[in-house]
Amino acid sequence: MRLVHLSDIHFSGYSSKWEPNADQRRQLIRDLTRLVAVGGSVDGVLVGGDIAKTAGPDQYEDATKWLEEVCAAGECPTERVWVVPGNHDIDRKAHNSVLWRPYLFDLVRTAISQGDFAEIDRLIRDWFLIDASADRLFDSLAAYNEFAASMNCPSTPGLPSWTDLTMDLEGLQVQLTGLSSVIFSDTTDMEHRPSLALGLRQCEFDRADGRIQIAFVHHPPEWIGDWSHVERYFLSRVHLLLFGHEHRFATDQLENEGTVIVRAGAVGPEAGEAEEYVPSWNLITLRRDDPCIEITIEPRLWSRDQTHFVAHPDGTTVRRVRIDLQEVERTGSKITEAPVEEIGVMSASPLLPSPDEVAAGELLPPAPERGRARQITVRFLKLPRTAQLSIASDLGVSEGLSDIDRRRLGSEILERVRRANLIDQLVERLGDA
Ligand SMILES: [Mn+2]
């Protein structure tokens, strides 16, 4: 299984020639085409945040078009793109217009400075889930969410993260989880006095026998105030952990056969001479080698002299991670606090049972069927809302939809279609749409 890992693209919304790094992005497509010709096609594209520069809708239109070209070059179905938000995906004007926001952020920062991590989960639950006005805080992600909703990866108050079970690695399920590190992000984010928080609930990745866990999030640990609290979940449950934001490639593995960590360089950094201003991206290959998986990380770096992407001077890294073929916990650490159950995780393929339902005994269909479910999902989500509603009405699953969060409407319809066993009828209707 091969994955393209892109981060910090920073589409600026300038027309054609004036778009920063436009040439580098075209050359990236050429680079990927060449790598695919040698090593085979790509199974998925993971975009680690900061897709836009200032979160304008035009920036996401450009991103959508370019990501389609990336998929074409990778010979990867266009629905196999998954995204998480970065700090540049926040519309700062909408963000600052929420007058009580600094009050909430102060509460979170106080909890971080006091090491009262359970308080962070309480704040997330009470403010985002119980108080409907919290929705306004997510208005600043409106353009991002419009873009992400077509992939069913939106970030909403009750469901800041999403998970997906579409892919398969040589017979092993792959669970992708995209987390939001920007719930408490503002212009004062700092690396050495971190003020961001993930909350524990986002990090409770479902375990399953032989399942491979890949998680990605924009901000690396240095920026996350409750990292010391949630870290054990990443290190005991996730096999491949991907970060963005810092514009400098690095890879690490804290214990032998433990979690492999990759920090992405930026596809679209600012102009400058230092290393963090040189565009880069990663090609990651996973191979099954029981009781481990072998992860090969090939970072690609822009060459200023040759004006195309070349192998990064750090070279290719090959690491092995042990997988739980018999639900063996790799570390002894246990979390004692009760989880905040009300905050759930959204499935990026609602035509499939969610990880929670699989944990409760529902069977996941084989990989080709899961791939088809993801394909139908994204085809449906790309339709205009009116077309989605009209299909829901024709299939008799439209009752009470007016009460559903706009960003989750498509997902809700698809879940109803699955529960009513109407997937074939949906596919028929998509043929006409
Ligand atoms: Mn960033």
Side-chain angles (χ1 to χ4, degrees):
M1 188 176 94
R2 295 181 110 194
L3 301 171
V4 168
H5 178 210
L6 308 169
S7 193
D8 300 81
I9 316 174
H10 298 127
F11 274 98
S12 301
Y14 292 109
S15 59
S16 63
K17 280 282 183 197
W18 298 103
E19 176 74 22
N21 296 305
D23 177 52
Q24 283 81 352
R25 283 197 283 266
R26 282 194 298 271
Q27 299 305 313
L28 189 156
I29 286 175
R30 192 173 155 81
D31 190 37
L32 177 58
T33 306
R34 287 182 173 191
L35 291 170
V36 163
V38 177
S41 62
V42 160
D43 299 282
V45 177
L46 310 186
V47 186
D50 283 0
I51 292 112
K53 182 80 183 168
T54 54
D58 50 341
Q59 299 165 21
Y60 294 103
E61 276 171 34
D62 290 347
T64 301
K65 279 186 221 139
W66 184 72
L67 286 167
E68 279 170 10
E69 291 172 32
V70 170
C71 287
E75 295 174 7
C76 169
T78 49
E79 71 272 9
R80 300 281 186 104
V81 179
W82 291 274
V83 298
V84 292
N87 46 305
H88 281 279
D89 296 309
I90 298 171
D91 173 348
R92 293 292 167 193
K93 204 171 155 203
H95 182 78
N96 292 333
S97 73
V98 181
L99 296 178
W100 49 262
R101 185 190 54 79
Y103 174 71
L104 170 63
F105 279 30
D106 276 351
L107 292 176
V108 171
R109 285 160 193 195
T110 302
I112 290 171
S113 65
Q114 295 175 346
D116 186 358
F117 299 118
E119 174 69 5
I120 293 170
D121 281 307
R122 271 197 299 275
L123 287 168
I124 293 175
R125 181 192 59 198
D126 292 352
W127 282 73
F128 292 165
L129 216 72
I130 297 170
D131 188 340
S133 64
D135 214 42
R136 291 214 44 221
L137 199 61
F138 283 70
D139 284 352
S140 58
L141 282 172
Y144 168 81
N145 270 334
E146 193 70 32
F147 162 77
S150 72
M151 295 162 252
N152 214 35
C153 302
S155 191
T156 60
L159 297 161
S161 57
W162 53 262
T163 187
D164 188 272
L165 290 172
T166 301
M167 288 193 287
D168 188 278
L169 174 69
E170 298 164 54
L172 300 175
Q173 281 167 25
V174 173
Q175 178 171 331
L176 265 185
T177 305
L179 297 98
S180 171
S181 57
V182 301
I183 303 171
F184 301 113
S185 169
D186 66 16
T187 49
T188 67
D189 296 347
M190 268 182 291
E191 185 177 359
H192 299 297
R193 210 159 49 83
S195 55
L196 304 178
L198 292 174
L200 191 61
R201 190 61 181 94
Q202 283 202 84
C203 310
E204 292 172 329
F205 313 96
D206 283 290
R207 272 206 181 93
D209 199 12
R211 186 183 291 171
I212 294 165
Q213 299 277 2
I214 301 175
F216 66 123
V217 58
H218 184 64
H219 290 87
E222 294 79 5
W223 298 77
I224 295 172
D226 60 346
W227 184 256
S228 62
H229 184 58
V230 298
E231 178 184 35
R232 48 199 147 166
Y233 268 80
F234 287 94
L235 297 185
S236 65
R237 296 192 181 188
V238 174
H239 303 102
L240 175 61
L241 175 56
L242 308 171
F243 296 112
H245 186 62
E246 288 196 324
H247 300 189
R248 189 186 285 269
F249 169 78
T251 175
D252 202 358
Q253 191 170 26
L254 302 181
E255 65 177 276
N256 189 32
E257 297 189 346
T259 309
V260 171
I261 298 166
V262 178
R263 295 167 182 249
V267 170
E270 308 268 0
E273 290 301 317
E275 190 199 331
E276 59 263 39
Y277 298 124
V278 182
S280 83
W281 67 281
N282 304 319
L283 185 63
I284 301 177
T285 307
L286 290 85
R287 204 175 60 79
R288 184 172 173 179
D289 185 15
D290 294 354
C292 289
I293 50 169
E294 185 190 84
I295 302 180
T296 304
I297 303 140
E298 292 174 74
R300 308 289 297 173
L301 185 73
W302 177 253
S303 162
R304 286 193 170 122
D305 295 335
Q306 298 174 54
T307 71
H308 62 77
F309 282 89
V310 296
H312 194 286
D314 284 4
T316 295
T317 309
V318 183
R319 297 186 192 273
R320 286 165 58 81
V321 189
R322 184 169 281 267
I323 46 175
D324 295 344
L325 285 170
Q326 290 189 324
E327 285 232 34
V328 181
E329 297 191 10
R330 278 184 289 114
T331 68
S333 58
K334 278 231 159 60
I335 298 280
T336 48
E337 295 92 328
V340 182
E341 307 222 331
E342 296 87 339
I343 294 187
V345 177
M346 166 179 268
S347 167
S349 293
L351 290 175
L352 294 173
S354 68
D356 280 348
E357 288 168 317
V358 173
E362 276 209 49
L363 288 181
L364 208 55
E369 237 174 277
R370 304 210 303 274
R372 183 168 167 268
R374 173 74 186 165
Q375 186 185 34
I376 299 165
T377 295
V378 173
R379 252 186 93 193
F380 179 76
L381 293 173
K382 286 197 195 274
L383 294 177
R385 263 187 205 97
T386 47
Q388 293 178 359
L389 283 168
S390 134
I391 291 178
S393 158
D394 289 355
L395 297 181
V397 294
S398 59
E399 199 184 321
L401 281 180
S402 51
D403 298 333
I404 301 292
D405 182 333
R406 211 171 54 89
R407 292 158 298 199
R408 296 183 47 219
L409 182 73
S411 176
E412 172 67 23
I413 295 171
L414 292 172
E415 271 177 40
R416 291 179 180 196
V417 164
R418 174 170 69 88
R419 273 186 250 119
N421 238 332
L422 292 169
I423 298 180
D424 289 341
Q425 287 83 339
L426 171 68
V427 171
E428 246 172 67
R429 285 300 321 263
L430 280 175
D432 311 334

